[in-house]
Amino acid sequence: MPDTRQHNLHARNPSRYRALASSCAAVVALTATGAATSANAHADPASCPVATATTFTAPTVPFLDWAENLGYDAQGNLWVSRLYRNEVQRYDTTGRITATVPVTSPGAIRLGPDHLLYVVYGDNSLNMVPGARNGGVVRFDPAAPTLTPEVFIGGLTMPNGAAFDPAGNLYIADTAEGVIRVRRDGTVDTDWTAQATLFGVNGLAIQGDSLYTTVYLAPDGRIQQIPIATPARSHTTLDLPLADDLTSAPDGFLYVATTSGTLLRVDPTRRTTCALLSTGPLAAVVPIPDTPDLMVTTGSGDILRVHPSD
């Protein structure tokens, strides 16, 4: 996918890239051995509700159909990033595919303030090679008769997670760079971004006046809290190894999908966590609009609907 806008954010640190191969190998090994064919709901009775999980849609080819991320458009349609198929897919309420859009190595899918869908591309570890800047974000109108993605920002390294703040700024979790803040006109807020440099970031969510990002490529994986007004004051909220993507839900909790196969509910204020679900490797989670339920993507390609008990 061509990059139409290039941004030199700050200098690379080559030592980070030398550490990447061993980190990725460990993740791939864990993912390959941690798969399961069904979801077994369980809970910590002291803090978590019992959850039930049902399969919304199953993969055509397990693991080739790895479901990297997901999001809803303004019409309530579910969109899923099929990382290895280089496309995002739209589903109806029965789990049937109703449209596909080509996107190279797609990551997060987020609804913008303009009702366009914004999709991260270049979510591929090959883009971590020094000098490779093949990542970015495309956008398209999901209600248009012809679904044609256009580049919103290019020249990134390995973007993965994304989130919009109430003002319409887009934040991107770039694994090699940290969190990047992009204004509504597609330009990078370099001053803000320079204060949010953090290697190994993955997922991204906004709750209140803070960003929460998962730091995945680190021995002590964690959730990092970044105050939007003062990004240099970021700090660890929880140590949470193998936390992949996360979301902020209307109930005030963060929900975190882990590659180790556990769906976690996190209270960022109390800094507590509990397990809602254990299954194979999980990739991302998002609230289903106007319901208490969650939709969860998996490494095998299944999409799960998770219902916490009332």
Side-chain angles (χ1 to χ4, degrees), residues 14-26 124-129 158 175 199 217:
S15 64
R16 291 174 173 174
Y17 300 99
R18 290 195 291 269
L20 175 67
S22 59
S23 298
C24 289
N124 187 319
S125 59
L126 294 177
N127 289 330
M128 297 283 283
V129 175
M158 185 184 167
T175 302
F199 179 74
L217 290 183

Side-chain angles (χ1 to χ4, degrees), residues 10 16 19 21 54 68 95 131-132 137 168 190 202 204 222 236 253 257 260-261 278 283 303 309:
H10 44 268
R16 291 174 173 174
T54 56
E68 175 64 19
V137 177
T190 54
N202 190 301
L204 200 62
R222 60 193 184 275
T236 299
F253 293 108
S260 55
S278 284
I303 311 297
S309 65

Side-chain angles (χ1 to χ4, degrees), residues 135-156:
V137 177
V138 296
R139 63 182 178 181
F140 61 90
D141 182 354
T146 302
L147 302 173
T148 305
E150 63 175 14
V151 174
F152 175 63
I153 180 173
L156 305 184

Side-chain angles (χ1 to χ4, degrees), residues 87-275:
E87 65 183 22
V88 293
Q89 302 171 341
R90 184 179 68 196
Y91 288 83
D92 65 16
T93 56
T94 69
R96 182 175 64 93
I97 297 174
T98 59
T100 61
V101 177
V103 179
T104 302
S105 302
I109 303 173
R110 299 294 180 259
L111 179 63
D114 50 10
H115 286 187
L116 301 181
L117 278 184
Y118 289 71
V119 184
V120 166
Y121 71 86
D123 186 10
N124 187 319
S125 59
L126 294 177
N127 289 330
M128 297 283 283
V129 175
R133 305 190 64 79
N134 300 316
V137 177
V138 296
R139 63 182 178 181
F140 61 90
D141 182 354
T146 302
L147 302 173
T148 305
E150 63 175 14
V151 174
F152 175 63
I153 180 173
L156 305 184
T157 306
M158 185 184 167
N160 189 309
F164 281 96
D165 69 16
N169 297 302
L170 175 62
Y171 299 84
I172 304 165
D174 189 317
T175 302
E177 305 286 356
V179 180
I180 299 166
R181 176 163 151 165
V182 184
R183 304 181 185 95
R184 295 185 69 155
D185 64 0
T187 60
V188 172
D189 184 337
T190 54
D191 290 341
W192 192 99
T193 299
Q195 299 177 67
T197 302
L198 184 64
F199 179 74
V201 295
N202 190 301
L204 200 62
I206 291 179
Q207 187 177 93
D209 57 3
S210 291
L211 283 160
Y212 292 88
T213 186
T214 53
V215 182
Y216 191 83
L217 290 183
D220 56 341
R222 60 193 184 275
I223 296 179
Q224 191 84 359
Q225 182 178 357
I226 305 174
I228 293 174
T230 54
R233 296 183 178 179
S234 71
H235 57 275
T236 299
T237 296
L238 281 171
D239 294 324
L240 210 60
L242 298 182
D244 197 326
D245 201 52
L246 76 169
T247 192
S248 175
D251 59 12
F253 293 108
L254 299 173
Y255 290 86
V256 184
T258 71
T259 308
S260 55
T262 303
L263 178 64
L264 299 172
R265 189 184 75 178
V266 173
D267 184 331
T269 301
R270 297 181 178 179
R271 300 189 179 188
T272 58
T273 183
C274 65

